[in-house]
Amino acid sequence: MVEYSVLSLVRNALGGHKGWIRAWRDPEPKRHYDVIVVGGGGHGLATAYYLARNHGITNVAVLEKGYIGGGNVGRNTTIVRSNYLLDGNNHFYEHSLKLWEGLSRELNYNVMFSQRGVLNLAHSDGQMDAYARRGNAMRLNGVDSELLDREDVRRLYPYMDFSETARFPIYGGLLQPRGGTARHDAVAWGFARGADRLGVDIIQNCEVTGFERSGGRITAVNTTRGSIGCGRIGMAVAGNTSRVAQMAGLELPIESHVLQAFVTEPLKPLIDGVVTFGAGHFYISQSDKGGLVLGGDIDFYNSYAQRGNLPIAEHVMANGCAMMPNLRRVRILRSWGGIMDMSMDGSPIISKTPLHNLYLNAGWCYGGFKATPGSGWVFAHTIAEDRPHKFNEPLSLERFATGHLLDEGGKGPTPKLH
Amino acid sequence: MIRITCPHCGPRDHDEFSYAGDAGKLRPADPEAASAEDWHRYVYLRDNPRGPHLEFWHHVQGCRAYVKVLRDTATHEVLATGLPQDDLEAAR
Amino acid sequence: MIFGRHAPEQTHRLAAGGEIDRLRPIGLSFDGRSFGGYAGDTLASALLANGVKVVGRSFKYHRPRGILSAGPEEPNALVELRSGARREPNTRATMVELFHGLSATSQNRWPCLAFDAMEMNDLMSRFLVAGFYYKTFMGFPGWHFWEKRIRAAAGMGRGTVEPDPDNYETMNAHCDVLVVGGGPSGLAAALAAGRTGARVVLLDETDGLGGRLRSEREALDGAPAMRWVESASAELADLPDVRVLTRTTGFGIYDGNVVGAVERVADHLPVPPAHVARQRLWHIRPRRVIVAAGAIERPLVFGGNDRPGVMLAGAVRSYLNRFAVRPGSSAVVVANNDDGYRTALDLAAAGVDVAQILDTRGGGRGAWRDRALAAGLEVADGHAVTNAYGRMGLVGCDVGRLDGRGGTVGDSRFVACDLIATSGGWTPSIHLHSHAGGKAEWSDAVAAFLPADGRPGIATIGAAAGRFALSDCLADGFRTGAKAAQACGFGSGTAPDAPATEETATAPLQAIWSVPGTPGRKVRRFVDHQDDVTVEDIALAHREGFVSVEHLKRYTTLGMGTDQGKTSNVAGHALMAEARGQPVPVVGTTTFRPPFTPVAMGALAGRAAGRHLAPIRRTALHDWHATNGVVFVEAGPWLRPQYYLQPGEANAKEAMDRAITGEVVNTRTRVGISDVSSLGKIDVQGPDAAEFLNRVYSNGFARLPVGKARYGLMLREDGIVDDDGTTSRLSEHHFLTTTTTVHAAKVLADLEWYLQVVWPELDVRVSSVTEQWAGMALAGPRARDVLAAAVDPGTADVSNAALPFLGVTTTATIRGVPVRIFRISFSGELGYEVNAPADWGIEVWEALMAAGEPHGIRPYGLEAMGIMRIEKGHVAGPELDGRTTADDLGLGRMTGRSKWYVGRGMLDKPAFTDPDRPSLVGLVPVDGQTRIRAGSILVDDPDAATPIPKLGHVTSSAYLSPTVGHPISLGLLARGRERIGQEVWAVYPMRAIRVRARVTETCFVDPKGEKLHG
Amino acid sequence: MAETATLPARRSPLDGVWTPGDHGAVGPGGPGVTMTRRLGLSAVQLDARAGTADAVRHAIAAALGVALPAAGHATSGGDVRALWLGPDRWLLMAADGFGLEPKLRDAAGPAGGIVVDQGHGRAILRLEGPAVRDVLAKGTGVDLHPRAFAEHAVAQTGLFHLTATLDRRRGTGRFDVHVMRGFAVSLFESLCEAAAEYGYRLV
Ligand SMILES: Cc1cc2nc3c(=O)[nH]c(=O)nc-3n(C[C@H](O)[C@H](O)[C@H](O)COP(=O)(O)OP(=O)(O)OC[C@H]3O[C@@H](n4cnc5c(N)ncnc54)[C@H](O)[C@@H]3O)c2cc1C
Ligand SMILES: NC(=O)c1ccc[n+]([C@@H]2O[C@H](COP(=O)([O-])OP(=O)(O)OC[C@H]3O[C@@H](n4cnc5c(N)ncnc54)[C@H](O)[C@@H]3O)[C@@H](O)[C@H]2O)c1
Ligand SMILES: Cc1cc2nc3c(=O)[nH]c(=O)nc-3n(C[C@H](O)[C@H](O)[C@H](O)COP(=O)(O)O)c2cc1C
Ligand SMILES: [Zn+2]
């Protein structure tokens, strides 16, 4: 087991880097695991890691149908923040943000968590009031937030459109200084390596195709690499949630939609923090490689295809160029899509299910990357203890029936609007 | 660009329409008889299939008709379109 | 141009030949130095003509780099084009057409191209291997410290911080057959289709047609091939329904086979002409797509293969034949296919000394080889370059004999040269095929992936399909073009005759993915030039388990640069396959994604950026406001009056406060008028109209009398309040429903939904009449006097008896204009809403103003309206926030259980009946003066330990209610109605504000509503 | 509606922006597009209630001499032009003096027609000239090629992101464009910018 550090890097450099070993093993699936985590994305891998680290459960497999990190964790715009309005979300995401702050050292893997600050722009008095409510609520929870006026914003981003012709003038914004970005792939790889070091089997190219049940329990999962027995199952398959749930006979308050993202040619440092436009859905930040990473709305139709269409792409660019008119000559290098598990109230579900030993982690909508460590933490707890952690009690599946919804946007049961 | 054939206007770009979601869900016909569970299933639960999906698109920039569409969610291919009361199952 | 003449001699320009126009010299400057070129040059060809070797620096190691290619695949020669607001970083010199005054700057170097401090990365390269950053920078002083430095070294060019002065636009096109690519294949396809009368669009990324033919010495029908290209182009130009777009890149295929293309309308000019967009985005909706995008050559991977002076063989031919430029004076040619010979012959023909032709194949057979030998060229079979030298420009290379087992035999010898032409084979451009989900199939013959079965309606042909013989390309094009047209109902489908070619048979290529290095030397073999990915990096990725091509890509950044691996992916994936000991097709390839080449954000945004981001909606009274001191504010798409300044007043805070307070006071004490045209108005007609409204509104509408209005509440299916408004019954089967401004469109769509989908049996028709009617709210104690004076005598009786509260009349006219008058009020005053046909709105408004003159009428805006509705405790946007129930808002009485309506099925949910739910209350500062701001949180104990328990929040607030003389607010408070009279804290920690507030009823003014009925 | 004679003149939403004359890059061949405002037009929406379409069609033909068009088309008859707007929904237009609305009410009402005055709710522009198709193509995804969009073809569609009605009139390159009154200035600006490179004339 090679510890990563400057020293080991230098040592290996002198040895022509022959000394490095696999970041995680490539084991054959065992016949039985105490816990099987379905889905080798950020959440599945984090869950496996914390099952071993926090609960000492190491006879764990993560089953990934493709290559780990090939899902949304590997295709998201990497914004990390905890500036949520509703307590049910806010406490959970803040717990996650705290974990981010120590994650690289925790995992001995540089996930490049960069607290560059997340700024949400406001374009009307009403929006300023809404941000005030959110920021004030955050402060009462001990979470950092600052209300900026127009001039504060201008100082941070002088090249935004502060002109007379701006269609939606900038009134100010809500800033969370501790928010930022992280290196998406590294998060998957870091958790994978961390979990592997604690004994977890990470099994790629292993698609779950069905469940073997007896009564209210699942006894084994059928996969493209054979049937594997299990004690408990944690589902963390994001965009594919409904399909896997269906194998267990569950119908969920979830729709799958495609969200596109874009990256520009690499530039010298231009945009220091994370900025979201308030008069249309648009968010942007700059990756360490120099590419501007940006996105906006989903494509507004159910989809399992990891690609979108031009109208939304054009809409995203229009918003971006309206916010920052200097971006028009910057070129888009690549576009792609990811399948998002849009829930009916726009908030996630980390919960027990009607099946005794099946646990659900889904409904992440636009925002599950930031949740990765927190989600793994509380999901591991829920699986290990067979009851929710206090931070995911409000994220239960029952809330849709009881009416205890977490509708940050007040959009109602219309997934495309969350 | 998904090209959707409106039964009234002919083939149009999908961005002339507003997506109105799952058309497989039927609203409880007799509200009196419907249980809380029935309303819950109607309002909150979705099949969300990968493959052919029955859905509504509202032709907001066109004739304002709700168009029933059978579309493959894996390929985005439109398999059939019709009026809300039409049965498109044959195209599956 | 003058300064073209001052420029140094074009030392590497051939005396004759090429497409350039020697009569049109053009000057350019690169890094401040002036050079001369000609019309028809690209920046790259002009720099080469002037003997410039080093053009850029690589991404990671900052190694000096030259020009590798002559096309869009260029990984090295990236520059900052233009300056100031028009500066474009990362611009491929190979794709920039010369224009007068062109100025370009090298990038990713400091302080200058010749000496770059960051080149120390290259010395440190053994530490900076793939993924090194994941393994360190975790400890003190932390990532944020290192990140700054890494970011400064990373990136490539500098983006501008000034707004782009140019414009962009979108264009839509439809056609039967779209041909992407104007080489021989594409031309043939377009001709075959165009001749049938089908509508054809032909795109080419470059400034002209011909494709590779522009760069080759090929003959067609016994004449230079470009003659045929010219006649083909002329014929296409004459066909009425054929559109040829040059400088236009088809960057992606989307659903429905819609192709996105970007036309560089004015990038070849110093600045766009007046009224002309810089770039134009095309949406092309073809019935058939033919992709004739050609193939891209890849370099062999050998030691020092990134040295300035190492160039793709095909690019060498482009510079020789198309641009009349000699990329070097003494060349070594190294290839694993016949392109080596073809190139050597062209070099020799151009008078360049060819030191050696190295054929990595051992065979020593083939017609091309014979031609080379016949031309007296020196050929070394089974040889390759094992290392190349020359940091700032190639000086020579080691040549070694391959043992066929990944090593060399014998010593290598040094050969002096300033140019290495290399070909590792050609990679078909299957990008667009793949965008549409088409499969890729490995071909050993081509040593690349070819398009396999794909989406119907898309055909990939010619070199893009791995058919490299000119005759095959032409045949392919004519055949496919004719077939495509036929499929659209044009022509017989028979292919026209192709021109005769004169081709030399080619011998099969032999793949070699990396060339062994000079024995005893540590060589650097670059697979991905731009991102500095070496053969060793790929081995490391394999060692660490990043063995899937997707992991390989993300771990090493192979193919993630601006060129997206056009010249490097195949070799990279093949090397991983070798490491895994599996065939390439098993290892596979990474995903092709749009855009094919990078596209400016502005082009995608089109004109919708800036002030056109969203169309502005103006009320029928807009022009009146504009000339009467209004200050407008955006309300969704609408521009609405916020308040009105007095003549001569500047829009300062005091003036604003004065205006708003004045408008409120005037309305409450005299009479005011405001523009409510933007409220949604929906005409509902039909025998079942009453039944329909009774189902969509939570309160009853079945028995609303004709000539009466009623306030109504609509719920969402989930039981939450959706919208409110008044509905008036104009006749037995005719209603007019109003909605809030923001929800107008949604409510109409919902009503249509219920009628078309849910209750088709109801005989009702709904239509929006929002724009048909200008709406004016006349409010205040004198409102009736004003109305009575304005209404044309005898057309309507507006007395309290004839037109009581919630009464409606449709008979009145004002200045002859038929109007609808509704006695309803949002302000709580005696009020009327007057609707007039929009084109007469201003006349009616002015009539009311005139009639109101003696009564002191004043227009009031949104701010005054907002204060007055808070004074009355009326809910609006901040209260209808999509989370509140009717009960929360004190409107529970409107959600009875006596009938069914949308949303009722949800109302009994535990959470909705929870007594602890926040409910709407009024709030006043205990000190009688401190404003309680909207967005404040309501708590019992602001000093409690965090997280501090919250009781609710302040939804709306008036910093001063002129009517009650102190600040008032509305808020949602847990168990609010039980707390009336009690005190709570309203805290605003972000501004360190806390205010002691008393909980009150929601209505601060005229709770009994006497004013309404008076 | 009361006798137009006694009524004030109707205002156009474009009064404030309409500057007659040539604009943009007008070449020797004259402007690529000529724009005219179609003023003084009554426009009334006619819906046929469930199952009454035929009766309404007959009633209108008899009373106004115009045949209600099929989907995607327009017809002219008598003094009236009729556009198809949607299923069982048409827009009928005539000069203000014609008294269209009352006539429609009398004719269609009994047959099951529902009449909604929309004349003030929309602005109508006539565009003609050699560049008209290109100008409109910058804003709409509808195929305007004569083969696909013949004379008297009508489309409800998006035009520069606004909802608009395109009515192809007789002759090549002549279109009437309807847009909601409140968006008239926005559409006008878009059309002008799109037309500037060909040159345009405001009449
Ligand atoms: C374009 C885009 C931008 C986004 N931007 C942000 C952002 O800025 N900030 C933020 O916080 N969030 C963002 N998100 C959301 C975030 O990426 C996701 O919510 C989060 O990654 C989901 O959790 P995950 O990582 O476990 O999902 P995934 O990475 O998708 O993991 C799920 C895994 O399950 C696997 N799987 C599925 N079915 C099976 C099966 N049957 N058997 C085995 N394995 C299976 C999949 O292959 C996949 O690897 C974005 C998402 C997208 C698509
Ligand atoms: N020597 C060899 O082994 C070899 C290999 C490959 C090709 N060739 C020769 O090259 C020619 C191939 O003919 P062809 O017509 O198939 O290809 P081509 O390369 O001649 O033409 C392709 C054209 O498509 C354009 N293009 C590519 N992608 C585009 C896009 N996305 N949008 C717009 N334009 C795009 C390019 O600018 C180019 O003009 C033949 O003459 C063939 O003999 C020879
Ligand atoms: C934050 C982030 C930054 C990215 N930067 C780049 C980049 O610089 N170059 C590149 O080619 N792709 C970049 N990508 C996109 C990936 O290449 C890839 O498209 C994405 O991970 C989705 O995978 P897929 O395209 O293989 O489906 C980036 C992706 C993310 C999430
Ligand atoms: Zn339609």
Side-chain angles (χ1 to χ4, degrees), chain C residues 182-208:
Chain C
S185 309
L187 272 170
L191 277 176
R195 283 173 185 165
T196 66
R199 292 164 66 189
V200 175
V201 175
L202 171 64
L203 308 181
D204 197 283
E205 188 170 33
T206 64
D207 62 337

Side-chain angles (χ1 to χ4, degrees), chain D residues 44-136:
Chain D
V44 181
Q45 177 185 308
L46 170 67
D47 283 29
R49 273 172 37 208
T52 66
D54 290 340
V56 170
R57 207 176 261 107
H58 287 121
I60 296 301
L64 301 178
V66 61
L68 293 179
H73 290 83
T75 49
S76 292
D79 307 317
V80 180
R81 183 161 182 87
L83 312 186
W84 178 88
L85 289 186
D88 295 340
R89 174 168 291 179
W90 300 269
L91 186 76
L92 281 76
M93 292 182 294
D96 274 340
F98 182 75
L100 181 60
E101 202 212 15
K103 287 201 172 96
L104 268 176
R105 252 181 224 302
D106 301 345
I114 289 176
V115 170
V116 182
D117 191 353
Q118 297 282 23
H120 291 236
R122 32 178 66 204
I124 308 174
L125 286 175
R126 172 157 298 175
L127 276 65
E128 43 204 328
V132 165
R133 258 170 60 196
D134 283 339
V135 170
L136 292 175

Side-chain angles (χ1 to χ4, degrees), chain C residues 25 57 124 174 272 290 323 541 582 616 758:
Chain C
R57 291 272 178 170
M124 310 247 304
H174 300 254
I290 297 176
F323 298 104
Q582 288 168 314
I616 292 177
V758 181

Side-chain angles (χ1 to χ4, degrees), chain C residues 180-186 203-206 210-213 216 218 248-251 292-295 317 337 339 342 426 432 461-464 468-470 473 596:
Chain C
V180 180
S185 309
L203 308 181
D204 197 283
E205 188 170 33
T206 64
R212 279 303 301 170
L213 292 181
E216 308 287 3
E218 294 273 7
T248 305
T249 304
F251 62 79
R317 299 201 298 278
N337 66 82
D339 259 29
R342 186 195 279 261
W426 292 72
L432 274 71
I461 63 167
F468 294 157
L470 177 53
C473 293
F596 171 72

Side-chain angles (χ1 to χ4, degrees), chain C residues 472-563:
Chain C
D472 295 347
C473 293
L474 291 166
D476 216 0
F478 282 117
R479 189 186 330 110
T480 319
K483 282 241 173 52
Q486 186 192 26
C488 301
F490 296 88
S492 64
T494 46
D497 300 334
T501 62
E502 299 162 19
E503 295 174 274
T504 307
T506 55
L509 149 159
Q510 242 173 50
I512 169 168
W513 299 117
S514 67
V515 175
T518 305
R521 276 197 170 277
K522 188 174 183 322
V523 301
R524 309 274 295 283
R525 296 173 295 178
F526 289 87
V527 180
D528 183 320
H529 286 239
Q530 184 170 122
D531 278 8
D532 290 322
V533 180
T534 64
V535 172
E536 289 65 30
D537 289 319
I538 292 171
L540 175 63
H542 177 260
R543 200 171 298 129
E544 297 194 87
F546 298 90
V547 297
S548 109
V549 287
E550 298 293 359
H551 278 155
L552 168 69
K553 159 186 162 176
R554 289 159 178 79
Y555 193 62
T556 62
T557 73
L558 170 73
M560 294 181 81
T562 62
D563 59 328

